[in-house]
Amino acid sequence: MRRLIGRVLTAVLATLAVLTTGTPAHAAVPASPAVTFTNPIAEQRADPHIFKHTDGYYYFTATVPAYDKIVMRRATTLQGLSTAAETTIWTKHASGEMGAHIWAPEIHFIDGKWYIYFTAGSSNDIWKIRPYVLESSAANPLTGAWTEKGRIALPLDTFSLDATTFVVKGVRYLSWAQSDPAVGDGTNIYLAKMSNPWTISGSPAMIARPTLAWEKVGHTVNEGPAVIQRNGKVFMTFSASATDANYCLGLLTATDTADLLNPASWTKSPQPVFKSNAATGQYGPGHNTFTMSEDGKSDILVYHDRNYKDISGDPLNDPNRRTRYQKLYWNADGTPNFGIPVADGVTPVRFSSYNFPDRYIRHWEYRAKLEANVTNLADSQFRVVTGLTGSGTVSLESANFPGYYLRHKNNEVWVEKNDGTTTFKNDASFFRRAGLADAAGVSFESLNFPGRYIRHYENLLHTQPVSTTLDRQDATFYAQ
């Protein structure tokens, strides 16, 4: 009865809005609308880094399999980077320092100049891995000259790599991974302030080290730090374990007003936040960065992985890590939700309710429903693909159960595996219409029952005819 009263009240309020304003009341269009990509973006490109510049271009660099040079490409769209021409902007030295293992370049624009942070070994000691910096004053870093600023001087002269830089509250920091025999095997995450783009100042702080089981599979590793800031927090991802299918992302969190050089300011999430997924065929996701969508409204996770689990020999000699994208979502508590590494092809989206904007379509025990705060993100993600029947239709494929689709059955909507029958294909195919309550939204009309739309009722999804204002609201969703 309480739910019925709520629905009646919603209808009354909508009617009052029409009478007083002449237009129906509706939820605001989401602040972060859907953005999709087609993966993979770049074959045989590991440790990707992207910088979105004020000139309208995205600049992309990554590790190449030969570990012998730094390459870069640019495009005005993120997807455009997949086909953009690539330029070699620097090549390893023939001898001495910077003569081997050219790894993990990052491109940054600081105080009017371009900087590339990268890792390199020595030609006569390829495992003498250290961080280095290049500088360019050119407007276009693909065509400009680069000056070697040299090695970043660190107090410990030990294996050190994956330098990145970021600013919090006006203070620029450098973070990197480094081994310290005094604290144990493997690499740890360090942080220091910077006096200029190639020099640290003061004493570095070790803010994380591998202590948990998932950080020590194959190798004892914390490496590849990357930072995103939101909601008064500094979130630092890092990569853990060996660079095979065990590679995964961990997360450190600090408040942006804290003393970031105090290790106690950082909290490590107890489980990896992004890891291999056999269902989607993605293995060893890691060494990520973050960027923004073209409209500046969505955070984008950029990372590498492989599309197979088993590797012959040393993973470092396997060339097939690929650069990939997917949208980064945010939980109601302000924390990032990475979800799962999604299947190759078009990335999935979420659908929020028009009249309950905090609720999303999700599956639970295969029944499709509306629910708020879906922290198991992939349950609420669907790939919009060409309809199983064609005919100008679409089908909605589950992100975490590839091959399973939203379909109606006895007017109820379920997520079920495509059995190849004509009945299933018809039941899982819909005409994508402009939102019945707001053309900026979307509504899904049944192919085989024209006039029936996916709509929510009592938080469950059904296919039903629509006639009232409330019906149209219940059948309207926003892609996010």
Side-chain angles (χ1 to χ4, degrees), residues 156 158-159 177-188 190 206 209:
L156 280 176
T158 59
F159 185 90
Q178 187 165 13
S179 64
D180 182 355
V183 301
D185 293 336
T187 53
N188 318 303
Y190 291 82
M206 184 180 73
R209 62 184 298 255

Side-chain angles (χ1 to χ4, degrees), residues 45 60 77 137 145 147 150 205 211 221 233 266 275 277 279 288 329 358 368 383-384 399 401 421 451 457:
R45 291 294 177 266
F60 167 71
T77 66
S137 300
T147 300
T211 58
V221 172
K233 298 289 183 66
W266 296 89
K275 61 184 181 179
N277 189 285
N288 77 291
Y329 291 87
D358 66 334
R383 297 209 307 173
V384 181
F401 290 93
T421 63
Y457 185 83

Side-chain angles (χ1 to χ4, degrees), residues 10 24 136 209 219 237 250 403 407:
T10 298
S136 177
R209 62 184 298 255
H219 292 289
T237 52
R407 61 87 56 99

Side-chain angles (χ1 to χ4, degrees), residues 26 93 310 375:
H26 62 275
H93 288 193
D310 297 323
T375 54

Side-chain angles (χ1 to χ4, degrees), residues 64-326:
V64 302
Y67 303 147
D68 62 348
K69 59 189 174 185
I70 297 175
V71 298
M72 193 179 302
R73 58 181 85 173
R74 73 174 186 170
T76 56
T77 66
L78 283 166
Q79 189 67 47
L81 288 171
S82 65
T83 54
E86 193 168 76
T87 299
T88 297
I89 61 100
W90 184 87
T91 302
K92 72 175 183 178
H93 288 193
S95 62
E97 284 195 355
M98 296 182 277
H101 280 160
I102 310 304
W103 291 346
E106 291 198 3
I107 176 75
H108 296 266
F109 191 76
I110 304 170
D111 297 333
K113 294 182 180 181
W114 293 101
Y115 292 91
I116 289 178
Y117 297 81
F118 68 102
T119 298
S122 177
S123 62
N124 56 2
D125 185 355
I126 63 173
W127 295 108
K128 189 177 180 180
I129 302 293
R130 302 293 188 271
Y132 296 85
V133 181
L134 305 177
E135 179 188 76
S136 177
S137 300
N140 181 353
L142 275 73
T143 58
W146 289 88
T147 300
E148 296 174 358
K149 304 303 289 187
R151 191 168 102 186
I152 299 175
L154 302 174
L156 280 176
D157 186 18
T158 59
F159 185 90
S160 43
L161 68 165
D162 297 348
T164 190
T165 184
F166 59 94
V167 175
V168 177
K169 299 293 187 183
V171 177
R172 180 166 293 280
Y173 294 88
L174 187 80
S175 185
W176 68 96
Q178 187 165 13
S179 64
D180 182 355
V183 301
D185 293 336
T187 53
N188 318 303
I189 302 295
Y190 291 82
L191 186 66
K193 292 182 180 180
M194 304 190 79
S195 57
N196 62 44
W198 58 92
T199 308
I200 68 169
S201 62
S203 298
M206 184 180 73
I207 60 172
R209 62 184 298 255
T211 58
L212 304 173
W214 54 269
E215 301 174 288
K216 300 188 289 184
V217 182
H219 292 289
T220 302
V221 172
N222 281 179
E223 66 183 16
V227 166
I228 188 168
Q229 300 178 58
R230 186 161 171 160
N231 305 316
K233 298 289 183 66
V234 181
F235 300 100
M236 180 185 287
T237 52
F238 61 90
S239 300
S241 289
T243 55
D244 53 19
N246 296 296
Y247 210 49
C248 59
L249 290 183
L251 183 67
L252 302 172
T253 304
T255 60
D256 62 11
T257 55
D259 176 6
L260 299 184
L261 295 179
N262 181 353
S265 297
W266 296 89
T267 301
K268 181 185 290 186
S269 296
Q271 298 295 330
V273 294
F274 202 56
K275 61 184 181 179
S276 294
N277 189 285
T280 61
Q282 308 301 321
Y283 297 94
H287 204 118
N288 77 291
T289 189
F290 301 99
T291 189
M292 293 290 295
S293 58
E294 287 84 346
D295 62 8
K297 296 180 179 179
S298 295
D299 295 303
I300 308 300
L301 174 67
V302 183
Y303 63 98
H304 74 234
D305 76 3
R306 295 182 178 89
N307 62 351
Y308 52 89
K309 181 178 180 180
D310 297 323
I311 298 171
S312 177
D314 188 335
L316 280 176
N317 296 327
D318 181 291
N320 295 317
R321 291 177 289 179
R322 311 96 43 81
T323 294
R324 308 180 87 246
Y325 305 152
Q326 59 194 73

Side-chain angles (χ1 to χ4, degrees), residues 5-46:
I5 291 172
R7 296 181 68 83
V8 170
L9 180 59
T10 298
V12 169
L13 291 174
T15 302
L16 286 173
V18 172
L19 292 175
T20 57
T21 68
T23 57
H26 62 275
V29 174
S32 180
V35 55
T36 59
F37 307 101
T38 300
N39 282 317
I41 299 301
E43 299 283 1
Q44 297 195 343
R45 291 294 177 266

